[in-house]
Amino acid sequence: MLQYTEMAELNKHIKTDVVQKLSKLFLSGNLKFDLTISEITELSWSNQEKLLQSTVNSDVFKKYPLRVDFCRLFFKKLLKHLEPHQEVHDGIFEFLCSLMKHKSEESNFCYRHYIFDDEFNNIITMKETNNMVVNGTTGMKTWEAALMLSDWILCNKELFHKKRVLELGSGVGFTGITLGMLCTPESITMTDCHNDVLKLLVENISINFQNLVKSETSQITCFRGEELNIDVQTLDWNYIEKANVKEKPDVIIGADIVYDPSILLPLCNVIQTFFKNNNCLEVYIASVIRNEETFEQFLGYLGKIDVEVKKLFPVGCIYITWDQEMPTCLLQIKKNVS
């Protein structure tokens, strides 16, 4: 298997079809794009038709639509690129006109679709919100660190093969769902502490794993299949002694969970508790560093619990597009054996 840096270098030299590029950006709700003159030239009438078919006329978009405001902004931006150089497909104007009928959106929620291959066979659909905070929680949207961690996981699938994985602060579930769909873990336990987040997490798992059999108790929601089991349950870091995680994890993952100084010590207590049950445990925590002092405080707490911490720095987007301009860090945490 290629090392991560080697794959990143190889990725630079792979020409991406402009229809695939725009389709992936649109379906994932990403407005950050520019087109070169050669790409605009490539967007002939027939290729604009292909773009429409793979986006707004696709079954996945019709069943799980994106936010109306985003759709409007995306195609208006596309028009600015096309109009000086290309005859614009009637379908683009028709789609924009259809959006004008939507004066307002009743729901705060919409969908995003993340595509992992050029054939569009592997699609992960996430129901989430664009709002930073909903009902007192930040866990109702996919954050950049989740994209970065998922990208790294897909480059290191062997670390998760037939392993029992626990995710801390799963939120809407993008990282855990990506791992379950595109890697080969034995099981995944996805956790959070906010009831609304857990409900949305269960909904997203149901959307993406329709072959798994769902069952519920007052404590846990289970999804069972021949090759994969997924559990969803509450895990409050402040009461880790009351946690009832059935499986002892081999690997713990977490994305964007190091942001609030008040939760750093409880988080370290959680990590320490699971190390007591498994000395061979590996922990991977991905962060967007918004506050350097908070991140350094977390590293200070880790230094007190007898673990070995290594900083990994993903160098580029391989399978998933994420914002590389943000300051990020991926920590590998293992039991100190010295």
Side-chain angles (χ1 to χ4, degrees):
M1 176 177 286
L2 290 173
Q3 295 298 312
Y4 196 82
T5 52
E6 293 173 325
M7 285 189 289
E9 190 63 32
L10 179 63
N11 200 48
K12 295 178 183 177
H13 302 289
I14 298 175
K15 181 181 178 182
T16 303
D17 177 272
V18 66
V19 173
Q20 294 173 350
K21 168 186 171 179
L22 288 171
S23 297
K24 290 181 178 182
L25 287 167
F26 174 78
L27 290 171
S28 66
N30 191 338
L31 269 176
K32 295 181 179 180
F33 72 89
D34 285 300
L35 298 177
T36 65
I37 292 298
S38 62
E39 287 177 323
I40 295 170
T41 301
E42 192 180 339
L43 283 169
S44 60
W45 182 281
S46 61
N47 277 338
Q48 291 176 49
E49 172 71 25
K50 291 179 181 177
L51 176 62
L52 290 167
Q53 291 302 318
S54 63
T55 56
V56 300
N57 293 329
S58 67
D59 290 340
V60 69
F61 178 83
K62 291 176 181 178
K63 187 172 183 179
Y64 302 112
L66 280 71
R67 193 175 185 86
V68 170
D69 287 347
F70 166 79
C71 295
R72 184 183 296 113
L73 290 171
F74 186 96
F75 276 95
K76 282 187 173 180
K77 185 174 181 178
L78 179 61
L79 279 178
K80 287 182 179 179
H81 283 87
L82 289 177
E83 285 182 319
H85 306 282
Q86 289 280 18
E87 182 181 1
V88 179
H89 195 290
D90 292 342
I92 293 178
F93 292 116
E94 291 170 3
F95 177 67
L96 283 170
C97 288
S98 72
L99 296 179
M100 294 175 65
K101 300 176 183 178
H102 298 270
K103 294 182 179 180
S104 63
E105 296 179 77
E106 295 182 358
S107 175
N108 289 324
F109 292 89
C110 62
Y111 297 93
R112 295 173 186 258
H113 311 280
Y114 299 87
I115 299 163
F116 297 90
D117 58 40
D118 293 338
E119 301 300 323
F120 288 27
N121 290 322
N122 291 315
I123 300 179
I124 289 179
T125 295
M126 302 301 298
K127 182 179 179 181
E128 56 186 72
T129 178
N130 284 331
N131 298 329
M132 298 286 286
V133 180
V134 176
N135 295 338
T137 177
T138 59
M140 306 290 263
K141 63 175 290 185
T142 299
W143 294 87
E144 210 67 27
L147 302 178
M148 183 260 279
L149 178 57
S150 300
D151 194 26
W152 182 85
I153 286 172
L154 293 178
C155 295
N156 295 275
K157 292 183 179 181
E158 72 282 355
L159 296 177
F160 305 91
H161 179 65
K162 298 303 179 184
K163 297 293 181 64
R164 296 164 297 185
V165 180
L166 170 68
E167 183 175 22
L168 301 175
S170 295
V172 294
F174 180 78
T175 304
I177 289 172
T178 300
L179 197 156
M181 182 174 290
L182 301 176
C183 302
T184 53
E186 177 183 314
S187 65
I188 307 173
T189 300
M190 302 174 71
T191 67
D192 213 290
C193 66
H194 195 287
N195 286 335
D196 289 341
V197 174
L198 290 166
K199 289 177 183 177
L200 187 54
L201 173 57
V202 167
E203 187 172 349
N204 280 327
I205 295 171
S206 298
I207 289 172
N208 290 283
F209 293 95
Q210 297 184 17
N211 60 319
L212 299 183
V213 178
K214 175 184 172 185
S215 62
E216 294 181 280
T217 69
S218 59
Q219 302 294 324
I220 189 169
T221 301
C222 304
F223 295 85
R224 295 290 179 261
E226 293 183 3
E227 298 182 353
L228 176 66
N229 294 327
I230 300 176
D231 291 338
V232 177
Q233 65 180 91
T234 301
L235 182 61
D236 190 331
W237 302 346
N238 290 298
Y239 302 98
I240 185 60
E241 68 279 357
K242 297 181 180 180
N244 185 27
V245 177
K246 293 190 299 182
E247 302 270 11
K248 290 182 180 179
D250 303 303
V251 183
I252 289 178
I253 60 173
D256 231 329
I257 56 177
V258 182
Y259 60 89
D260 180 353
S262 69
I263 65 173
L264 300 181
L265 185 56
L267 172 56
C268 288
N269 289 337
V270 171
I271 293 171
Q272 186 176 32
T273 298
F274 283 106
F275 269 118
K276 290 178 181 177
N277 294 326
N278 181 4
N279 284 332
C280 297
L281 175 68
E282 296 183 6
V283 181
Y284 297 95
I285 296 179
S287 299
V288 171
I289 304 176
R290 299 176 180 84
N291 186 307
E292 187 71 39
E293 184 177 341
T294 299
F295 189 73
E296 289 299 322
Q297 186 178 355
F298 177 59
L299 294 178
Y301 282 135
L302 287 175
K304 298 177 181 179
I305 62 171
D306 194 30
V307 293
E308 180 182 305
V309 180
K310 181 179 180 181
K311 290 184 180 181
L312 309 176
F313 294 91
V315 294
C317 305
I318 308 300
Y319 295 98
I320 301 170
T321 300
W322 48 276
D323 189 348
Q324 298 175 70
E325 295 181 2
M326 288 185 170
T328 58
C329 184
L330 174 59
L331 297 180
Q332 178 193 62
I333 306 168
K334 294 184 177 182
K335 186 72 172 178
N336 194 339
V337 294
S338 59

